[in-house]
Structures are given as C-alpha cells and as structure tokens.
C-alpha cells in the first residue's frame, strides 16, 4: 500500500489553525446558519474536521485535497455551518490552482465561473427573488476569487522561474564560451611557441649531436657556432612571446607579425643550419604583383614555410629543398618540397606537432592543406607540403 506523502510544514500549520479557529467559533456559538441544519450542533464540526484534514494535502496532493473539500462543502449546508469551513475551502481552491497540474490550473477557474453562474440562475428560479443574486456573489467569493488569485500568483511564479532558468542558461553559455576561448587561446599559444622556437631547438639538437659524434675540432667549432646563433635567436623569440603573454603595463615592445618578406632570412638561416647535411635551399616566388595580403594569411604562410624548413632539417635526405609561393586569383598557394628518405648524419626527433599546427592554421582560414610523400615524374620520392589559403575580399586585387 502506497503511503501518503508527508505534509508540508506550512500546510500543517494552516490546517491546525483553521480547525482550532473553527472550534473556537463553534464554542462561542457563532454559527454561519444559526437555527438551520440538523441537530445536534456538533455536526458542524464534522465538515470542519474533514476540511482541515484535506488541508494537510493542499501542497502535496492539491487535486485530491480539493475533491475532499468539495464533498465537505456539500455536507456543510446540512449543519448549522462554520465560517472556518468556508475559509479552509477557499484556501483549497487557491492551492489547487497554484500547486496543481497546468491542466488543473486552466480548468478550475473556468469551472468556478460556470458553477457560479449556475448557482445564481438556479437561486433566481427557485426563490424568485433578486436577493438570490447575493448567493451567487457569495459563491463567487468562495470559488472564483481564490481560483483567479491562484492563477495570478502562479503566473508570476512561473515567470520568475523562467527568468531564473534563462539566467542559469546564460551563465552556462558564458562559461562554455569562456572555456572555449581559453582552449583556443592555449592552442594558439602552443602553435606560436612551437613555430617560434622549434627550428632553433632542432638546429641545436642536430649540431650538438654532430659535435658529439664527429671527432673533428673544426666540425665541433662550426657546430658550436651554429648552436650559439640558434640559442640567441631562440631566446629572443621566447622573450618576445613571453612579453606578449605578460601583463607588463606596456613596458614590453610589441612583437611584429612575421611577413613573407622575411622568408629570405628563414632560408638563409636554414642554409646555415643545413650546410653540414648537404642541403640546398631555394625560393621560387611566382607572384606577379607584390600586393598586400591579410595579416592572418601572411602569418599562416610564414609559419608553414618555417615549420616545413624545420622538418626538412630534421628528416630530409641531402639534396635540394624548394619553397614555392604563388597566387591564383583570391588564393595564396604555399608549397615546400624536400628529398624523402633516411639520409646519413644526425637527426632530431619529431613529435608530429608541426604538421598538426600547420593543418590547424589552414583550417582556421578555411583553406586546404596536404602533406606527405609523392613520386615525381622522374621516379624520385619527395616530401611535399602544400597549402592553399583563401584571401579575404577587398584585401588585394586578383
């Protein structure tokens, strides 16, 4: 057998107060219909007790409580009556609208108005007296007024709840946006850190390995020179990146965005780092006009070339490494090719983060990226990196 839900504390207080108040009125002889109803007078306490008991369920089982209250009200006219019984019934009507189902909240006010009209018309027909309208007015006060009061309170309560939910959703969306922004910024910082210092650290690793593995004073001196140069450049790049991340109140000079005009310097540095490995670096720029490019596109192209040269130093066989720049309408093309295969000499380990970073940069610009080994017409195997970066409308003529 299913147990009844535990009454709410406020419902217990209302029920007890209503019953004690009705008992006090009965003891003082203050009946609502003195001289009417069946004897003994104590019968008036029965509807009062039932109505008080229904009040215990006003919040947990509002529809059941109202049904019990209606039955008690049907019995009340056969007794001398009690004002507390009527007051408790109005509270049950109010609670059924406020705490009941949405369907009950819609139906109870409509039913109360129909019942009020029916009682008024019936009273007029039976008593043939205009004062019968007062009975209909009393019925409206007992049913219609508390029902519509419940509707008003429920509407405001639902509106407040909806506003609270919207506020929580807004806060949740703001937190999601903040988290995504932090994640995106961390990914951008990781790409910048990798692209700015990876080539220097790779050159240091290669030449330090060469110095350790080749017992030749001249080779060691040359390797140490390259190591020192890359160490100084790497530290400078690191200081600029840290300056961007630190809130120094404007004491740090802003780091200039790398441009394709600096590709020659990249190649010169690569020639220095790869001279001992038998690598040659060339640039082919087929762009017919030196038109300005959007800063994000130019930065992505620069970083792709920089990372491709770093990978060539770490993994390529001796031979020619070619950097190709071109423009086809509103599309900037970047290509880097290098000999594919395991060649002699020391190699620096790779984690694959460079290719991931290049792919991410191109994806952010809605471009296309491809990398991997290909076979040329003469049967040679090369590693090719190719990216196509769309240019924003209005950032240069086609």
């Amino acid at each position: 057998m299913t147990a009844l839900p535990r009454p709410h504390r406020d419902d217990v207080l209302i029920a007890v107060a209503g019953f004690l108040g009705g008992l006090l009125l009965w003891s003082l002889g203050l009946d609502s219909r003195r001289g009417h109803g069946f004897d003994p007078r104590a019968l008036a306490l029965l509807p009062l007790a039932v109505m008080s008991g229904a009040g215990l369920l006003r919040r947990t089982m509002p529809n059941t409580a109202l049904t019990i209250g209606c039955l008690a009200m049907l019995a009340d006219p056969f007794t001398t009556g009690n004002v507390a019984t009527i007051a408790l019934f109005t509270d049950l009507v109010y609670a059924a609208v406020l705490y009941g189902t949405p369907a009950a909240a819609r139906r109870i006010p409509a039913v109360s108005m129909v019942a009020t009209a029916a009682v008024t018309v019936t009273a007029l027909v039976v008593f043939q007296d205009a004062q019968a309208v007062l009975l209909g007015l009393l019925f409206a006060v007992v049913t219609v007024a508390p029902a519509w009061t419940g509707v008003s309170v429920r509407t405001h309560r639902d509106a407040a709840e909806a506003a609270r939910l919207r506020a929580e959703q807004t806060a949740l969306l703001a937190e999601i946006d903040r988290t995504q922004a932090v994640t995106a910024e961390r990914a951008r910082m990781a790409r910048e850190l990798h692209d700015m210092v990876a080539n220097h650290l790779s050159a240091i690793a290669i030449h330090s390995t060469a110095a350790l593995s080749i017992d030749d004073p001249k080779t060691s001196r040359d390797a140490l020179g390259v190591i020192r140069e890359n160490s100084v450049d790497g530290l400078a790049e690191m200081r600029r990146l840290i300056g961007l991340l630190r809130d120094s109140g404007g004491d740090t000079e802003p780091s200039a965005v790398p441009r394709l005009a600096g590709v020659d310097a990249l190649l010169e540095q690569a020639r220095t780092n790869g001279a001992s490995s038998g690598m040659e670096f060339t640039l082919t720029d087929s762009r017919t006009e030196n038109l300005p490019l959007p800063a994000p596109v130019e930065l992505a192209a620069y970083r792709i070339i920089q990372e491709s040269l770093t990978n060539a130093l770490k993994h390529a066989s001796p031979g020619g490494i070619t950097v190709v720049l071109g423009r086809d309408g509103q599309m900037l093309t970047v290509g880097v090719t290098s000999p594919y295969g395991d060649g002699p000499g020391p190699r620096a380990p790779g984690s694959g983060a460079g290719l991931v970073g290049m792919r991410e940069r191109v994806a952010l610009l809605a471009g296309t990226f491809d990398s991997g080994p290909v076979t040329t017409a003469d049967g040679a195997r090369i590693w090719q990196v190719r990216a196509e970066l769309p240019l924003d409308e209005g950032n240069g003529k086609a």
Side-chain angles (χ1 to χ4, degrees):
M1 182 177 181
T2 304
L4 291 176
R6 184 176 181 179
H8 192 274
R9 182 184 61 181
D10 295 342
D11 297 345
V12 174
L13 293 176
I14 292 173
V16 172
F19 181 77
L20 293 179
L23 187 62
L24 177 63
L25 292 174
W26 178 83
S27 65
L28 295 176
L30 300 177
D31 301 326
S32 60
R33 288 181 300 277
R34 179 176 296 181
H36 297 80
F38 298 111
D39 289 328
R41 284 185 61 244
L43 287 176
L45 296 180
L46 182 58
L48 174 65
V50 172
M51 198 73 73
S52 299
L56 296 175
L57 305 176
R58 65 188 293 275
R59 196 184 303 255
T60 55
M61 300 176 66
N63 293 339
T64 302
L66 181 59
T67 301
I68 296 173
C70 289
L71 295 176
M73 279 299 294
L74 291 175
D76 187 66
F78 298 98
T79 69
T80 55
N82 195 302
V83 174
T85 302
I86 299 174
L88 287 172
F89 178 74
T90 61
D91 179 68
L92 292 181
V93 175
Y94 167 80
V97 174
L98 181 59
Y99 302 116
T101 62
R106 292 191 302 269
R107 293 170 184 169
I108 291 175
V111 171
S112 65
M113 290 189 295
V114 172
T116 298
V119 168
T120 303
V121 172
T122 302
L124 286 173
V125 172
V126 172
F127 298 107
Q128 298 292 318
D129 190 345
Q131 290 187 354
V133 176
L134 295 178
L135 180 61
L137 181 61
L138 177 62
F139 196 87
V141 171
V142 174
T143 58
V144 177
W148 283 103
T149 302
V151 169
S152 177
V153 174
R154 181 172 183 141
T155 299
H156 288 291
R157 185 195 65 181
D158 292 346
E161 180 66 15
R164 184 185 66 81
L165 291 176
R166 284 196 298 270
E168 290 180 355
Q169 291 174 352
T170 301
L172 179 60
L173 291 175
E175 179 63 20
I176 292 174
D177 290 342
R178 187 194 68 82
T179 302
Q180 291 177 342
V182 170
T183 302
E185 182 63 15
R186 290 179 63 181
R188 186 191 69 81
M189 290 164 53
R191 286 194 301 269
E192 287 298 315
L193 179 61
H194 179 275
D195 293 342
M196 291 173 68
V197 302
N199 60 332
H200 299 299
L201 295 179
S202 297
I204 291 172
I206 292 172
H207 287 276
S208 61
T209 303
L212 291 172
S213 60
I214 301 175
D215 187 14
D216 180 63
K218 183 178 183 305
T219 301
S220 298
R221 283 196 301 271
D222 293 341
L224 289 174
V226 174
I227 290 172
R228 183 184 184 283
E229 179 183 351
N230 280 276
S231 299
V232 172
D233 291 343
L235 287 173
E237 295 281 7
M238 184 69 74
R239 280 195 296 268
R240 283 196 290 271
L241 180 60
I242 293 175
L244 291 175
L245 302 179
R246 182 188 295 125
D247 184 13
S248 57
D251 295 334
T252 303
E253 294 183 0
S255 177
V257 177
R259 300 285 183 180
L260 289 179
V263 170
D264 290 332
L266 276 181
L267 289 174
E268 187 60 34
Q269 184 182 57
R271 292 187 185 100
T272 301
N273 295 334
S276 61
S277 300
M279 298 181 182
E280 298 179 356
F281 297 85
T282 58
L283 170 64
T284 302
D285 191 349
S286 61
R287 294 177 296 167
T288 57
E289 299 180 68
N290 190 20
L291 296 174
L293 299 174
V297 174
E298 196 159 2
L299 174 62
Y302 180 93
R303 293 302 190 197
I304 289 171
I305 295 172
Q306 183 182 46
E307 179 58 29
S308 298
L309 294 178
T310 300
N311 288 341
L313 288 172
K314 291 192 294 184
H315 306 296
S317 301
I321 291 90
T322 303
V323 177
V324 178
L325 285 172
R327 181 167 179 173
D328 182 11
Q330 289 295 323
M331 194 71 68
L332 177 69
T333 60
V334 180
V336 181
T337 59
S338 57
Y340 180 70
D342 295 328
R347 288 290 181 268
S351 64
L355 290 175
V356 173
M358 287 189 285
R359 193 176 300 277
E360 288 178 349
R361 287 185 181 278
V362 175
L364 289 174
L365 297 174
T368 59
F369 177 83
D370 184 49
S371 64
V374 297
T375 303
T376 61
D378 57 2
R381 294 275 287 173
I382 62 172
W383 182 272
Q384 177 178 272
V385 172
R386 179 176 174 80
E388 294 184 349
L389 305 174
L391 307 177
D392 293 338
E393 189 70 19
N395 287 292
K397 297 177 182 179

